[in-house]
Amino acid sequence: MEIRDITAYPLTEDLWNPWCVVTVETADGRRGVGEAGGLWANTDLHAKVEYAEKFDEWLRGMDPRNIEALRVKALETPWGESRLARALFSGVEMACWDLAGKDAGKPVHELLGGAIRTELPAYANGWYDGLETPEEWGEGAADVIDRGYSALKFDPYENSVRDISNDELQLALDRVAAIREAVGEGPALMIEGHARLTPAEAIKIGSHLEEYNPTWFEAPVQAHQGPAAFREVREALSIPVADDLASIGNKFEAFEFIAERAIDVIQPDAANAGGLREVQYIAQMADAAAIQIAPHAAGGPVAMCATVHLDAVLPNFKIQEGFNEFTRPDWVPSVIDDPVSIEEGTIDVPTEPGLGIEFDADRAREHDRNPMPDHNFLSSEFKDTYGSQKHAE
């Protein structure tokens, strides 16, 4: 089996976070499907489409089942260290796992080492966009729990960057209090910081959050501050600290956070870090340091499905992020038919050969339009437009 063609398909219509589906076709006509993550901008999306042509040149003629050879050639080179290259290769690598699984007649998780669980706990994200008052946040959270979830993540802040005003802090705390009161003490609350505060401000906020018993405080500081800043926050608080997508890219960056014991939960994104194998390496290092893994998955259904296969084999897996119910427009099933759904806060691990996904490339081309604006996802205008429980009605 030899790689003959690598193509990227941008999907933007009514999506807060554009998707980039990647296909790898072989000389004998077989096709695998993956998804490349990105930097959440349309310019980045179309740069990946162009970059796919370069990967087509570099990897053409190689066996798609030889994942490690592909990974080393694509990533462990000077040009492979860019985030754009890693994201695009992530989609290529997923597609190659899909091909390998179909060729072997086995689901991808069997090729990754074998599933140690058949069901995965999931937490809801994307449910709170458009909510304003603490009362609305409490009601929205209660609706999520009524759908069967026992865990939910949210960013209760407004536009704070580096520091937070007293008014914004009080509003955030009122929202958290309303959520805890509405859902009770049982459900897990993951509080998102979106990597925008200084350590001092993060510690101030975190000390107020402790009374609400959050499962973790995510991305409390700016990503570029590195593991020392995360560790400063972690050691000052009694609540677990998680990294964020921007701060943990590949295994080399992850190693620094793990070695310094800067976090309690690590969240690499398989669509950005370099694919499933790269995240598996990160998970193994984290497991040796007693750090749990909760893979980031804010992209489309292909990346989500591939991540679920990976979750099934990771000993230190904690919980899977899920945007499924809250951010997908109605056209998605006609383009991407995937076996992953979240029922009562639980994901069944797929059993179909490969990833188990069907992708309609012709229909995909119909949905590269009506793109999101260049956005600030912290702004109220953006939150009012994309996501929320309106998609789940």
Side-chain angles (χ1 to χ4, degrees), residues 45-56:
L45 177 71
H46 289 281
K48 286 198 290 291
V49 174
E50 297 295 324
Y51 216 67
E53 296 181 8
K54 284 297 182 184
F55 273 93
D56 184 60

Side-chain angles (χ1 to χ4, degrees), residues 11 13 19 301 329-338 358-367:
L11 295 167
E13 186 174 2
W19 304 339
D330 294 338
W331 56 260
V332 174
S334 68
V335 176
I336 303 169
D337 182 12
D338 74 289
E358 298 294 332
F359 173 65
D360 191 322
D362 292 331
R363 289 194 174 183
R365 294 187 179 94
E366 299 173 6
H367 298 284

Side-chain angles (χ1 to χ4, degrees), residues 17 70 94 104 124 137 178 189 217 237 305 338 350 380 383:
N17 171 12
L70 293 166
M94 288 179 196
W137 282 65
L189 306 183
F217 186 12
L237 300 176
C305 182
D338 74 289
S380 58
K383 292 177 181 179

Side-chain angles (χ1 to χ4, degrees), residues 113-189:
I116 57 177
R117 58 184 67 85
T118 58
E119 294 182 344
L120 310 174
Y123 67 83
N125 201 351
W127 58 271
Y128 55 91
D129 295 339
L131 304 181
E132 293 295 336
T133 67
E135 292 74 19
E136 289 174 340
W137 282 65
E139 292 169 1
D143 287 342
V144 172
I145 300 304
D146 287 343
R147 294 179 188 277
Y149 289 91
S150 59
L152 60 159
K153 186 162 79 176
F154 55 95
D155 180 342
Y157 315 105
E158 292 297 304
N159 298 314
S160 307
V161 176
R162 291 189 173 84
D163 57 13
I164 186 169
S165 71
N166 289 337
D167 287 342
E168 287 185 331
L169 175 58
Q170 190 59 56
L171 177 60
L173 294 175
D174 288 345
R175 287 169 171 171
V176 177
I179 290 171
R180 180 54 85 192
E181 182 177 359
V183 304
E185 295 300 320
L189 306 183

